[in-house]
Structures are given as structure tokens and as C-alpha cells.
Amino acid sequence: PTEAEPYYVAYTMGMSAEPMTLDNMPHGKKFEWLRTAELLMFLPGDWPVEQAGGPEHLNEPDRKAAAWPLRLLRMLACMPRRQKTWLGAGHSIPNGEPAHPYAENTPFAGAVLFLPGEKNGPKPLDAVKLGAGRRLMLYIVVPVHPEEMQFKLDHGAEALEEKLRALPGGAGFMVDDRRRSVAKSEEA
């Protein structure tokens, strides 16, 4: 983290090595450009990344509180290959059935993917142009509260995205265990 960009950017490397299958998508041939993607997360500058350790340490009990975002990225990056499917903007993935928090210290029990555009997150990012009309899609993984997941299911990803955008400085797209639910007001 720097003064200008006071956050970490955690990202996958390798999800795009094998194109995702679009077999279960209507009109899949029309969306060939969605086959390759990588995922990213914005972590606040005070996130204890040194406690998370490397990939070989992500499941150690004393590192779980710091490592859950990295475990989530890794799990999502493997999902398309293991389940012969694809991930893209607007997809929501609960943490289990029934959904439960990723770690004891977090309220988040699921994730939604968004495009890292101009209004999403602290820094706008675009798909990476690979040449020959191909591109590598980038998606922000946003951990969500259970009621935010329900709001997304009831009202759509765009409605949740607007609520997250309303938080100042891209905070809605930052992994922060202290972030309050943007859907709480919907319960009343």
C-alpha cells in the first residue's frame, strides 16, 4: 500500500490458463470472449497479509483470520475447471449450503463478482487485450453479508452494485470485515 493507493491488490494467476466452458450458457458462441478471466480483490492497507503466509499456509488454523480472502480467490479460480462451468460479472457464490462465514472474524458468507470499472473499487481496471480480438476479463470478488446475497438474488447484481458504489472511496468493493451491510435498510 502507498499513500496514493492505500490498499493491497490480491489476484489470481493461472485461472485463464485453461479457457472456461460456456456449454451451460445460452448462446455461448456469441460470448467466446468470456472464456478467459482472472480474479482480484482489494484488501485494506492494514490487512495482515504477512500473517496469511504463502499458498502452502492458507489452511493453517493460526493463519485463517488473515488468509480467508486468499483461500476464497483460490477456490473461485479453480471452480470453472473443476465444475466445467464459467464465472463472470454478476455471479454470486455462497460459502456452503447453508452459507456460513469464511472465518470467525468475518461476517461475509458469500461472494459476488463485478467488473472493476470506473465506479467499482478504488481503482478502475479494464480487461486485458490479448490480440486477435481476444481479451482477458478481470472480475473483482466482493465478499458479501448474507442479507446482501439475498438482496442480490431478489433485486439483481446491478442493484447491489449501486448500493456498494454509494460507499465512499470504493469501500464497497474493498474486503473489510468492518464494512456494514448495504442491504440492512432493506430488511425494515
Side-chain angles (χ1 to χ4, degrees), residues 33-49:
W33 49 275
L34 293 175
R35 284 192 182 275
T36 56
E38 295 290 346
L39 307 172
L40 64 105
M41 284 181 162
F42 294 106
L43 300 167
D46 62 353
W47 194 269
V49 293

Side-chain angles (χ1 to χ4, degrees), residues 122-133:
K123 181 178 189 163
L125 299 167
D126 290 320
V128 179
K129 293 180 179 164
L130 301 174

